[in-house]
Amino acid sequence: MQIYKVGGAVRDRLLGKPVTDIDWVVVGATAEEMLAKGFRPVGADFPVFLHPKSGEEYALARTERKSGRGYGGFTFHASPEVTLEEDLIRRDLTINAMAEDDQQNLTDPYHGQRDLEDRFLRHVSPAFAEDPLRVLRVARFAARYAELGFKVAPETLELMRQLSESGELEALTAERSWKEISRALMESQPQVFIQVLRDCGALKVLMPEVDALFGVPQPEVHHPEIDSGIHTLSVLEQAALHKQPLTVRWACLLHDLGKGLTPEEEWPRHIAHEHKGLKLIKAVNERFKAPKDCQELALLVGQYHTHGHRALELKASTLLELLQSFDVYRRPQRFEEFIVACEMDARGRKGLEQRSYPQADYLRGAASAARGVAVQPLLEKGLKGPELGEALKRERLKALKAYKESASS
């Protein structure tokens, strides 16, 4: 029995990056031998075991063969005869197909170390094209390592293109797709993930609503970058630069989908794109079964982001409606995430990345003024039910009018 550290742990050590998860491969062993040593079995599909003390995963060396569509369409074969090289060749990228023994002696049959040095994300073998999930994984790695100068190798991008055109991407489950998408959006350069998907034709399959934004112009006076797709990538980039959470990044990706529906004769203006985009945002949310908080914020940002930009001009009554839509009294954090999403939208424009956004503090102040209205005096007047609700609304409107006056003076 020989045990090797494999995959990401080896890759990241060689890159000088922190190693978080460690995967191990066991060569020359049987499941019975692993159980005899106290390892606990997990997973029904292939022999993976948890170490009795560390809890880390140890997998028996295995080969795999395509047996059906999609991510799960594989038959695995594990036996003591499977070599380390045979196990490594089934992996996705050369940089993930290296192994180390306990003396840090490197096994690198597919030149992963060379690709690390040359900054290439390159597939290990033609079998790469058998697993559609690898399109998303490679795009995610591109987003993670873009800051180090990594690019997808041209021949790998071509295989990803073939996969995108094959119909295999449609076999991916919503859960698997969302897991990759959500992880990719939280990388340091999530806009690279979207760009790579577009480069290989996967974006128009997975998110045709986002793909449709590219080539759609906007008024240059507000959008020096002009192209709606480029703007979306820039907004996502700003969200990552400002360390925003997944909810905000998802909303940033989907906020302008309505612009893809504008008839060409109306370009570059996009009247009512906020409202038109809601059905598209809802469709993308449902396609990937995004978490509820991501779904809700994306819809609210889509509908109200131009309200955010025009905050200083809004009437007190419109401000109140905006605050009510977000339920700022019970869910203040959601309104805060809306504000920062609007700010990322304002900064995601060519040459305006450092612009100030006074609307943010203005909206925070408005929310504070509305929340500051006390309910107790109204209860003491004997008001309840709809009457209480209307009285509360009147008092909050009064507070917002006073706030607007003080803010403009």
Side-chain angles (χ1 to χ4, degrees), residues 121-276:
L121 301 172
R122 192 190 312 276
H123 63 283
V124 177
S125 78
F128 174 95
E130 295 177 351
D131 184 356
L133 191 69
R134 288 176 169 175
V135 172
L136 290 166
R137 275 177 56 83
V138 173
R140 174 165 64 82
F141 280 120
R144 176 183 298 178
Y145 296 120
E147 62 187 8
L148 298 179
F150 275 83
K151 296 281 190 295
V152 180
E155 62 270 32
T156 303
L157 196 65
E158 179 55 35
L159 272 186
M160 292 165 69
R161 190 174 292 114
Q162 291 173 21
L163 258 175
S164 300
E165 294 169 356
S166 70
E168 280 271 326
L169 289 176
E170 286 92 329
L172 291 174
T173 64
E175 291 77 13
R176 290 299 310 180
S177 297
W178 177 255
K179 186 176 180 181
E180 289 297 326
I181 290 166
S182 58
R183 289 177 71 185
L185 290 179
M186 292 309 294
E187 299 290 3
S188 61
Q189 294 197 31
Q191 76 283 1
V192 173
F193 171 71
I194 301 298
Q195 185 63 58
V196 170
L197 291 183
R198 185 160 189 270
D199 291 344
C200 71
L203 191 62
K204 67 183 175 189
V205 178
L206 297 167
M207 299 185 201
E209 303 86 351
V210 176
D211 192 66
L213 295 174
F214 290 87
V216 175
Q218 307 163 102
E220 189 174 359
V221 62
H222 301 301
H223 289 275
E225 72 287 347
I226 300 176
D227 189 287
S228 297
I230 301 298
H231 166 62
T232 296
L233 296 184
S234 299
V235 176
L236 199 50
E237 181 179 13
Q238 288 298 313
L241 282 171
H242 290 84
K243 313 290 188 200
Q244 298 302 339
L246 177 61
T247 46
V248 172
R249 298 187 193 204
W250 183 241
C252 285
L253 177 62
L254 305 185
H255 79 286
D256 262 352
L257 292 188
K259 290 179 179 177
L261 296 176
T262 305
E264 285 189 33
E265 59 269 20
E266 294 179 18
W267 289 355
R269 300 180 70 203
H270 298 278
I271 297 166
H273 75 275
E274 306 90 345
H275 178 71
K276 291 175 184 174

